[in-house]
Every structure is written in C-alpha cells, then in structure tokens.
Amino acid sequence: MPSNSLKIAVVSDLHFVNRANVQDASYHSWLTITPEGNLDNNFWQSLIDKVKKDGIKADLLVCPGDITTHAEGSALKFAWGKLNELAAALECSILATATGNHDINSRGIDIGNPIRDLDKNHSLTENLKQLSPPYPLVNINQVESETDHINRIHYFGSDFLFAPNQDEYNLVILNSCASHTSDPISYERGFVSNTTHQWLESALKSSFDATNKKLGILVCHHHPIQHADHGIGTYDFMKGGTELLEMLNRYGNWIVIHGHKHHAKLSYHSDGSKKTVVFAAGTLSCHKQNLNDDFTNQFYVIDIDSSKTRGTPEGTLNVYSWQGNHWSLSKRRKDGVFTGVGFGDIGCLEELAEKISQAVSSVTGTDWGSIVEQFPQLKHCVPKDLDHLENNLQVYNVDVTTTADGEIDKLEKSEA
C-alpha cells in the first residue's frame, strides 16, 4: 500500500451475548454464544473468511464500543478475544477500542438475595480492567509490556488515552461512558467531563507541532453531534461533544469515529470554515429483529491520505454489508453509507454539476464509473453531497439512475 495510505478497519456495536446469561440473547445479536462456549452460527467466521479471501488489510482496527451486551462478563471476555482475532486477520498493528454503555455495569446488578449477592461484582469497569491483552489499546505485533499497563491506568484514570507516538497520526481513545452510574438518566447518554476536556487539551497542546502536523483520529462510543435520523432519538448525544470538537480543531485536523446509534452516517462538524469528519459506524451484528429497514449490518475499511494535513481530511470508504448469508462489498445508496463515498474538499457542488452535465452523452447517457474517472473529487463526496449533486444536476436535465439494488448506475440527459 502507498506510504501515504492509512487504512482503518471499523467494526462497531458487536453485542456479543451469552445465551446462558442474558434473556432473549438471539434478539440482541447475531453473535450469540452457546452454553458450550461457541458461536451458534457462521456470522463471525464468514467475516474472517471474507477478510482472508479478499486479502483485506488495515493498519489499525477500531471498535467504538458495545462489544458485548449488558456488560455480561463471559461474553465480554469472548468478544475481546474475537476482536484480537480479527485484528490479526487484517494484519493490523493496532487495535483501539472505546468503551460502550453495554461494556460497563451501568445498568446495575440484579440483587436476588440481599446478603449473598453482595459478593457479586458491582464495579462498573472491573471486567474491562481484567481483559488480556490490556484494554483498550493493543499493539498487535509487540509483546505486552509495562507501557500497556500504564496506558490502561491512564485510560481508566483520566477517561482518555492519547497515543501520539505513531508516525502518521495522533490517536485518542475517549471513554464517553466514564461518568455513567446505575441511574437511568446517567447511562442513557455520553459525557466529557471538564477534567477530561482540560487534561486532553493539555496533552494535545504539549505535543502539537504546527509545522509538522499529523492527522488526528478520535475514537469514542457516543455521538458528539446530533444524530436523530429515522427517529432514533435526540436524548443520548455526548454532553460536551461540541466543545470537544472545537477544542480538537485547535490542534490539527480530525476524524471522529463513533458508534452507539447502530445507524451509519458520514458527515461533518463545521467550526467556521474548518470541518471535522464525523463517522457514525453502523452496527456490525445487532440482530435484524432489533433493527428496521433503514439499518444494515456493516463493517468498513477507511482509506485515508495521511499526507494531507491541511484542510479537511481526505479519504474513501469500502463498505461491506451482511447479505443474509454472506458479506459483500455494497454500493447501495439505501444503506446510508456505501462503497463509493468518502470525505474531503470537493469544491462547489453547483459548479461541479454544471461541468458534469457537459460530460453526459445526450442520447445514451454516461456510466457513473466514467463520470468518476473524469471527476475524481466525486470519490470524496459524503452521501449528502451526492443527494445535493443529484438535485443540482436536474437543473441541467440530467438524471441519476440506479440499479435494482440501489447502486448508482449512470447519468442520463433528457431533452429540455
């Protein structure tokens, strides 16, 4: 892979669940563990097989949380092992995992016997602290060291981990669940405390070099900007999220990767004319019984130009969707985020639409692939950009046609 290509594989909201310990386990996730300690279907193995068959590689594997369901300890440990297995299959050097609300005991422990059940584990994060290799950051190809333990202490003590020692990027893993308690009002949303905000800014400021900037990547569970598409709620955004993004913008250009909503969305947060890329990863494996038609099980490989450290970060996405019995590269617009979208500076969409209209054959139309070859900035359109582009093309009597599966097929020009 080119030296300036940084590939990030993303899997989110896996919700591994142990059928023996969680009621209605199969409702929650495809990744259901049997009493014998095995997965009860081929869902996960199909993912591993797809990665190996297609030679899918990444520099780091990111998981924005909810690797298990209801913080059940046996499933959490099992899920951690499987994430490390996936990282190895992808030949990653780094596994970075943020804490999700289902990864901690914020919903409390059922008390059957008020005396005997006092021996149960009531700590919100004890199971996470006991994971091996040390959670939340794993250096895949290195022997576990004291540094890994120090990272773990820092993450659970300051609610973030800043890893600036990568050549191409700065990595921040943020624990947006750190302020959760068993109070239902608390565990429904994410938080960035004032202390976490201040300490993170201090760490970023001390390492920031304006003459030798690096791409910034922040991984967290909750969404720092509002995400209420398809009626999925406005109450659970990250408190302090806007302030967090504005602070990040003082120290380079950033890509934020989060989960929680189960719905994929690729957008920007604008701070003046400066834009932060915000990628909401859809759920890898939440069961279809728990989703509606606007949700799709997906995993992603983001290909980023790490040499572009000025202006909006630039990259493209390969999106793989679960097609009922196998994983497939998806270009379906109805999936929300699909192969063929990306992010970056693309200029004025109205001017771009006018230029594209002049390249469309008036009789036979022009294949979308040919249009993208002529206008490569289209590779960096977020899904909303393509919606706006389609509207602008209609001014020039150009229609976007799609296949039966919802993939953009060609542009056709009708008579005025």
Side-chain angles (χ1 to χ4, degrees), residues 114-126:
I115 301 300
R116 294 176 183 173
D117 285 348
L118 289 176
D119 288 336
K120 286 187 175 181
N121 175 19
H122 292 264
S123 168
L124 267 66
T125 58
E126 182 65 17

Side-chain angles (χ1 to χ4, degrees), residues 167-194:
D167 292 336
E168 298 177 276
Y169 59 91
N170 287 323
L171 174 66
V172 174
I173 308 173
L174 177 72
N175 184 1
S176 62
C177 300
S179 297
H180 282 197
T181 69
S182 58
D183 183 342
I185 296 176
S186 167
Y187 66 61
E188 287 289 4
R189 62 188 302 196
F191 297 85
V192 182
S193 71
N194 290 336

Side-chain angles (χ1 to χ4, degrees), residues 162 170 203-214 249-253:
F162 176 43
N170 287 323
L204 294 174
K205 185 176 181 179
S206 65
S207 68
F208 182 64
D209 181 355
T211 63
N212 187 28
K213 292 193 297 184
K214 291 191 287 186
N249 275 336
R250 293 195 284 271
Y251 306 102
N253 301 293

Side-chain angles (χ1 to χ4, degrees), residues 90-146:
L90 290 162
E91 298 185 10
C92 296
S93 59
I94 296 290
L95 166 61
T97 306
T99 303
N101 53 297
H102 276 269
D103 299 328
I104 59 175
N105 288 326
S106 55
R107 284 172 169 77
I109 303 296
D110 292 331
I111 302 297
N113 185 308
I115 301 300
R116 294 176 183 173
D117 285 348
L118 289 176
D119 288 336
K120 286 187 175 181
N121 175 19
H122 292 264
S123 168
L124 267 66
T125 58
E126 182 65 17
N127 289 334
L128 292 173
K129 293 175 181 177
Q130 293 292 334
L131 291 175
S132 181
Y135 176 99
L137 181 69
V138 181
N139 288 282
I140 303 297
N141 301 317
Q142 298 181 15
V143 177
E144 184 177 326
S145 68
E146 182 65 17

Side-chain angles (χ1 to χ4, degrees), residues 218 220 222-227 238 241 245 248-249 254-259 263-270 275-281 302 312-313 317 337 342-343 382-383:
L218 183 137
C220 58
H222 292 88
H223 42 302
I225 59 176
Q226 193 61 264
H227 186 150
M238 186 192 300
L245 295 180
L248 291 176
N249 275 336
W254 289 79
I255 299 171
V256 174
I257 303 172
H258 72 82
H263 173 259
K265 186 175 183 178
L266 181 62
S267 60
Y268 300 108
H269 169 76
S270 295
K275 294 191 294 186
T276 300
V277 179
V278 180
F279 175 46
I302 311 173
T312 307
L317 272 73
V337 175
F343 47 87
V382 300

Side-chain angles (χ1 to χ4, degrees), residues 51-67:
V51 166
K52 292 180 178 179
K53 179 182 177 181
D54 289 10
I56 302 172
K57 309 296 182 187
D59 298 289
L60 62 161
L61 173 62
V62 161
C63 178
D66 278 0
I67 67 175

Side-chain angles (χ1 to χ4, degrees), residues 6-27:
L6 175 66
K7 292 192 175 183
I8 304 176
V10 182
V11 292
S12 186
D13 294 87
L14 290 76
H15 289 285
F16 277 90
V17 59
N18 191 330
R19 185 188 300 166
N21 297 327
V22 175
Q23 189 176 9
D24 299 326
S26 61
Y27 171 80

Side-chain angles (χ1 to χ4, degrees), residues 284-352:
L284 176 82
S285 45
C286 190
H287 200 281
K288 64 181 181 181
Q289 296 181 56
N290 207 3
L291 303 174
N292 65 40
D293 292 339
D294 297 309
F295 293 71
T296 305
N297 296 123
Q298 294 180 325
F299 79 95
Y300 315 88
V301 178
I302 311 173
D303 193 346
I304 304 167
D305 181 357
S306 61
S307 67
K308 187 179 185 301
T309 59
R310 294 182 178 181
T312 307
E314 186 173 279
T316 59
L317 272 73
N318 274 344
V319 180
Y320 300 83
S321 294
W322 178 245
Q323 306 288 357
N325 59 7
H326 68 282
W327 291 97
S328 179
L329 198 67
S330 175
K331 297 183 180 181
R332 302 179 302 190
R333 292 182 77 179
K334 67 179 182 179
D335 286 351
V337 175
F338 48 93
T339 300
V341 298
F343 47 87
D345 297 314
I346 60 173
C348 175
L349 281 172
E350 292 173 286
E351 292 178 357
L352 181 58

